[in-house]
Amino acid sequence: MNNQDYKAMYYINKMVENDEVNDYDLTNWCRKAKFIIHKDKDEDKKGICQVIKTKIKELANKYDKTQKTIEEKNIDTLAKIFKLSEIEKEILSVLYLPHNNRLFKDFKGQIQHYSSGIAVRVLGAMLDKFIIKYVGRSSLLAKLGFINPESCDIRLTLYFVDLISNKQKTEKDFINTLLGKNLTTELTAKDFKYISELDFALKIMKSSAKNGINILLYGNPGTGKTEFAKMLVKEANKNLYTIGENSEGESENNYRVQALYRNLKVASKNKKACLLFDEAEDMFSSRCTKINKVEINRLLEENKSPIIWCTNNIMAMDRAFVRRFTLAIHFQTPPLEVRQSIWNKYLQDSKIITQTQDIKALAEDYNVPPSIIAGAVKTTKMVKGNIETVKQHINIMNQALNNGHKQIVEHKKDIVFCADLVNSDLDLEQLKNRLIKLGKLNFSLCLYGASGTGKSFYARYLAETLKIKYRQKRASDLISPYVGGTEHNIATAFEEAREENYMLIFDEADSFLQNRSKAHYAWEKTAVNEMLTWMENHPYPFICTTNLMNDIDPASLRRFTFKVKYDFLTPTQVKIAFDFFFGLKVEEGEISHLNKLTPADFTVIKSKAEIFGLKNQPTRLIEMLSEEQNLKHPQNTANIGFCMG
């Protein structure tokens, strides 16, 4: 027998002395292990058991605690790193016995037939101590991910078994294994100058030598949060280590929390160590972790090392957690000029031939985060493609990110605007000229009236005339099925417009500015409140269009500089429309009945006439326009239903 066998006998003897083993299991184990001293058949069972117990005790006394295996030496080194007590070291050592000693493994299998671990009661008997506080779910060993308490049984985690097995490791070896590789980046602070909180974040990181800090980076995926974290730590002349990405073999739900506890212990000894907890929604969800809210609060308050937390979803995070962060920075798609710079950098580095106008068009047409840009360029280089390959890749990825729906890229065309076809209660050409003369940008318009009268068209025309960029938002772009989603989308739209200095155009404004007195759900009111708040303080132009002015919340009206009503074309304007769309002259008497038409109706009929070759036949065009008008006001039909007398 070797010293490990004597060690097994030592702890088996402890169980025997504390009556944790019955005579039947003891003799059976001895027989299977061929460890029994043969006796005559007439020998009584008690006598046999006594002989066995005496022999076990005799062998147990030969156990030399100073002769340690590689695994036991590794446990000693870990105990030094994590400041484990002697009892915690012994618990780990005993729990490892079934992994490297067949004698003890067979014995445990005899007394605990179906358990993968060791019962708390049995473990306590082997150690002659009350151990529940050392092996519970809130114990240090459990928090570090070394043991896994399952009901009344305790077992080592696969991670810990792998950590101490195979070869002896020094303290430095363990620290390198626990922390993993230092994360680096080629980016500098200049690459993130568009982040308004940059200087503040740098000051905090550089002054974090004596205090633990928590910086939260949140926003849409791919917007540069992880790269920003790497840059921030590099600029502060520190090292960054990720949490839970180097923990092969761990399967517990909260293994990343355990990795955090381990790395905090290690990092606290190194003034240059900072930790990165990516995809932090795992940490702050009770569905993913088994730690309570109070424990998370204390962790945020008492950690001694800088931690940068990155998450794509802050909406589900408890406000009590958010307020405990040292700093929180919102990430979104970079503004236009920054996107141009990113496109230029990636395309040049990959040696993909492009023109300056191509880069500008990519930045304008694709409002995408840096990760999508990098992916598109990398794939294009891989297949030796060109600028069209880049666009194709982005369209494919955007479709995937949009749940399979293709995103339409609106290529801006020269707008041919005819002021004579606008029937409004305000001279819009005069308004445009005054805005140009004054250079005024903090104005707003509510354009309302019949569908197809040119409200959105005028908004785009005005933006191009004033030489400012514009972004058109429809109800489908803003309204979300998730709680708080609509408010978030509204806020994002205004924030992006403020950062990139462009005009916002909201179509179907009645959908998100509906009268709150008619709201059926609380979220309908909060969405309107969010919109009104942003409208009140927005420094750049925004225009809302609606066909349902009566459904607009009254409080929103005072927030518009101008409220302009659009109406159907007058008879004179119908004549002008015939000339503008068809190049034909008509008499007012021929078209006097056409009093409910809009420029959009003429656009539809023009397309239809071109298909049928009727563009030069005024009589047929008038008939087609009459049919189009009648569709707006169908003849009354008899109601079908119940009649009450």
Side-chain angles (χ1 to χ4, degrees):
M1 298 183 74
N2 58 35
N3 195 54
Q4 280 301 292
D5 291 332
Y6 294 140
K7 179 180 180 179
M9 289 301 180
Y10 175 84
Y11 286 109
I12 290 171
N13 184 58
K14 288 285 187 182
M15 284 187 273
V16 171
E17 290 180 343
N18 286 291
D19 295 325
E20 288 297 333
V21 186
N22 61 54
D23 291 349
Y24 174 80
D25 285 332
L26 187 61
T27 53
N28 267 356
W29 167 70
C30 286
R31 188 174 292 109
K32 290 177 182 177
K34 297 181 180 179
F35 176 70
I36 192 168
I37 299 174
H38 294 283
K39 294 291 180 181
D40 295 334
K41 294 182 179 180
D42 295 334
E43 184 78 45
D44 59 59
K45 290 183 179 180
K46 285 188 178 181
I48 293 175
C49 284
Q50 188 57 48
V51 171
I52 293 172
K53 291 175 183 178
T54 301
K55 185 62 175 178
I56 289 174
K57 188 170 185 178
E58 176 188 328
L59 295 172
N61 290 333
K62 294 182 180 182
Y63 170 45
D64 184 355
K65 293 185 179 181
T66 63
Q67 293 183 24
K68 296 188 175 183
T69 62
I70 290 174
E71 293 80 9
E72 289 171 323
K73 291 175 182 178
N74 284 338
I75 290 174
D76 286 343
T77 305
L78 285 175
K80 182 180 177 182
I81 295 173
F82 295 106
K83 297 180 179 179
L84 302 181
S85 65
E86 289 299 319
I87 183 65
E88 287 168 329
K89 284 170 52 179
E90 193 172 6
I91 287 171
L92 295 175
S93 181
V94 172
L95 289 174
Y96 189 74
L97 261 177
H99 294 273
N100 73 337
N101 187 269
R102 184 72 184 180
L103 204 61
F104 189 87
K105 182 179 180 181
D106 291 342
F107 183 81
K108 188 183 78 72
Q110 180 65 40
I111 64 172
Q112 291 182 223
H113 302 286
Y114 304 106
S115 173
S116 61
I118 297 178
V120 175
R121 184 190 74 255
V122 174
L123 188 59
M126 284 191 282
L127 302 176
D128 272 336
K129 287 184 176 66
F130 184 71
I131 62 164
I132 189 65
K133 69 176 181 179
Y134 299 105
V135 295
R137 291 194 180 278
S138 59
S139 67
L140 177 59
L141 294 178
K143 284 183 177 180
L144 294 173
F146 292 168
I147 65 171
N148 185 16
E150 292 182 343
S151 186
C152 295
D153 287 352
I154 309 298
R155 66 172 177 84
L156 293 178
T157 61
L158 294 177
Y159 171 79
F160 180 80
V161 172
D162 183 63
L163 190 65
I164 67 168
S165 299
N166 301 326
K167 66 178 182 177
Q168 187 173 344
K169 298 175 183 175
T170 63
E171 185 174 339
K172 185 178 179 181
D173 291 333
F174 274 121
I175 289 174
N176 290 337
T177 300
L178 291 162
L179 287 178
K181 187 179 179 181
N182 176 29
L183 301 179
T184 59
T185 181
E186 296 180 1
L187 300 180
T188 66
K190 291 181 180 179
D191 295 301
F192 293 95
K193 60 184 179 181
Y194 63 95
I195 302 291
S196 59
E197 301 89 350
L198 174 62
D199 291 339
F200 196 8
L202 284 170
K203 288 178 182 178
I204 290 174
M205 183 57 68
K206 290 176 181 178
S207 63
S208 65
K210 296 182 180 179
N211 302 303
I213 61 169
N214 297 284
I215 295 179
L216 177 66
L217 310 179
Y218 66 97
N220 291 334
T223 47
K225 299 184 291 297
T226 303
E227 290 302 313
F228 181 86
K230 294 177 186 177
M231 177 279 302
L232 197 62
V233 173
K234 185 184 78 171
E235 293 285 332
N237 194 28
K238 297 176 184 290
N239 299 323
L240 184 64
Y241 304 97
T242 189
I243 297 295
E245 294 182 20
N246 305 307
S247 304
E248 291 86 355
E250 294 193 275
S251 58
E252 287 75 16
N253 287 336
N254 56 339
Y255 79 91
R256 297 191 71 208
V257 181
Q258 295 166 351
L260 175 60
Y261 276 113
R262 290 195 298 267
N263 285 23
L264 276 174
K265 288 276 187 181
V266 175
S268 63
K269 301 178 181 181
N270 185 344
K271 292 182 179 180
K272 297 188 71 173
C274 302
L275 303 178
L276 171 66
F277 202 111
D278 215 345
E279 306 296 339
E281 49 267 28
D282 292 354
M283 173 69 177
F284 299 103
S285 171
S286 58
R287 294 178 182 178
C288 297
T289 64
K290 297 177 183 177
I291 60 177
N292 58 42
K293 180 178 176 181
V294 174
E295 188 175 350
I296 295 177
N297 288 343
R298 297 297 170 265
L299 194 152
L300 291 171
E301 293 167 351
E302 299 171 2
N303 65 294
K304 302 300 181 186
S305 298
I307 306 178
I308 300 177
W309 309 78
C310 296
T311 179
N312 302 328
N313 181 15
I314 195 177
M315 294 175 65
M317 190 181 294
D318 195 299
R319 302 298 97 176
F321 299 151
V322 176
R323 70 177 182 84
R324 284 176 165 80
F325 286 97
T326 313
L327 182 66
I329 303 176
H330 182 213
F331 278 71
Q332 50 193 354
T333 303
L336 179 63
E337 291 181 2
V338 177
R339 292 201 303 274
Q340 283 185 228
S341 177
I342 294 172
W343 273 115
N344 187 54
K345 179 181 184 302
Y346 279 112
L347 290 168
Q348 280 192 357
D349 290 348
S350 298
K351 298 181 180 179
I352 296 174
I353 299 174
T354 51
Q355 303 297 323
T356 303
Q357 59 267 29
D358 292 330
I359 295 174
K360 184 178 179 182
L362 285 169
E364 288 180 347
D365 292 343
Y366 298 101
N367 186 26
V368 294
S371 60
I372 298 294
I373 296 174
V377 174
K378 181 180 179 181
T379 305
T380 300
K381 182 181 179 181
M382 186 189 306
V383 300
K384 299 180 180 180
N386 54 26
I387 194 69
E388 293 304 318
T389 313
V390 172
K391 295 178 183 178
Q392 181 184 12
H393 185 273
I394 292 184
N395 289 332
I396 291 170
M397 296 309 297
N398 271 342
Q399 182 177 359
L401 292 170
N402 199 31
N403 297 320
H405 301 293
K406 290 186 177 181
Q407 183 175 347
I408 300 173
V409 177
E410 296 183 0
H411 298 286
K412 297 179 174 55
K413 301 176 182 178
D414 293 334
I415 295 176
V416 181
F417 180 74
C418 181
D420 292 335
L421 295 181
V422 176
N423 183 14
S424 63
D425 59 1
L426 179 69
D427 189 331
L428 294 177
E429 277 296 287
Q430 184 183 16
L431 172 63
K432 177 202 72 176
N433 294 332
R434 290 291 296 168
L435 291 172
I436 293 173
K437 183 178 180 180
L438 296 173
K440 191 176 177 65
L441 290 180
N442 59 333
F443 67 88
S444 56
L445 294 173
C446 178
L447 308 179
Y448 67 97
S451 175
T453 47
K455 301 182 290 297
S456 299
F457 192 81
Y458 175 75
R460 298 195 296 272
Y461 162 73
L462 182 61
E464 294 200 359
T465 304
L466 296 176
K467 296 182 179 180
I468 57 176
K469 303 184 294 290
Y470 67 86
R471 187 71 51 79
Q472 197 162 347
K473 297 287 184 179
R474 301 173 178 82
S476 58
D477 298 323
L478 299 177
I479 296 176
S480 168
Y482 303 108
V483 176
T486 302
E487 294 91 318
H488 172 75
N489 293 340
I490 291 171
T492 299
F494 277 100
E495 286 173 352
E496 289 178 351
R498 178 177 291 183
E499 289 181 3
E500 297 193 24
N501 306 335
Y502 59 67
M503 177 191 288
L504 269 176
I505 303 173
F506 292 107
D507 282 335
E508 310 161 46
D510 47 278
S511 299
F512 39 84
L513 276 178
Q514 60 182 309
N515 195 324
R516 284 169 292 181
S517 64
K518 298 179 181 179
H520 298 289
Y521 305 100
W523 64 266
E524 294 176 312
K525 294 182 180 180
T526 56
V528 175
N529 293 339
E530 184 75 18
M531 186 76 180
L532 295 179
T533 301
W534 281 100
M535 290 169 64
E536 188 78 45
N537 303 302
H538 192 58
Y540 294 103
F542 65 90
I543 299 176
C544 290
T545 71
T546 179
N547 304 328
L548 304 170
M549 186 63 165
N550 292 335
D551 292 344
I552 296 286
D553 191 276
S556 68
L557 298 179
R558 67 177 179 82
R559 289 171 168 82
F560 290 105
T561 314
F562 301 98
K563 293 165 277 291
V564 183
K565 181 181 180 181
Y566 276 65
D567 210 339
F568 296 110
L569 297 173
T570 64
T572 301
Q573 288 176 318
V574 172
K575 285 183 62 179
I576 296 172
F578 263 91
D579 188 19
F580 184 81
F581 285 97
F582 308 120
L584 298 174
K585 305 291 184 182
V586 293
E587 298 297 327
E588 281 195 25
E590 299 177 87
I591 56 171
S592 59
H593 63 292
L594 299 178
N595 56 1
K596 299 290 182 184
L597 292 178
T598 67
D601 296 326
F602 276 87
T603 301
V604 171
I605 297 306
K606 180 182 178 182
S607 297
K608 188 185 294 185
E610 287 174 346
I611 293 172
F612 288 108
L614 303 174
K615 191 176 177 181
N616 297 317
Q617 298 182 33
T619 302
R620 286 291 293 122
L621 291 173
I622 292 172
E623 290 176 359
M624 293 165 71
L625 285 166
S626 297
E627 293 170 0
E628 195 71 23
Q629 178 174 276
N630 291 336
L631 290 174
K632 300 180 183 181
H633 305 280
Q635 297 295 323
N636 291 332
T637 56
N639 292 326
I640 300 175
F642 295 100
C643 179
M644 297 181 65

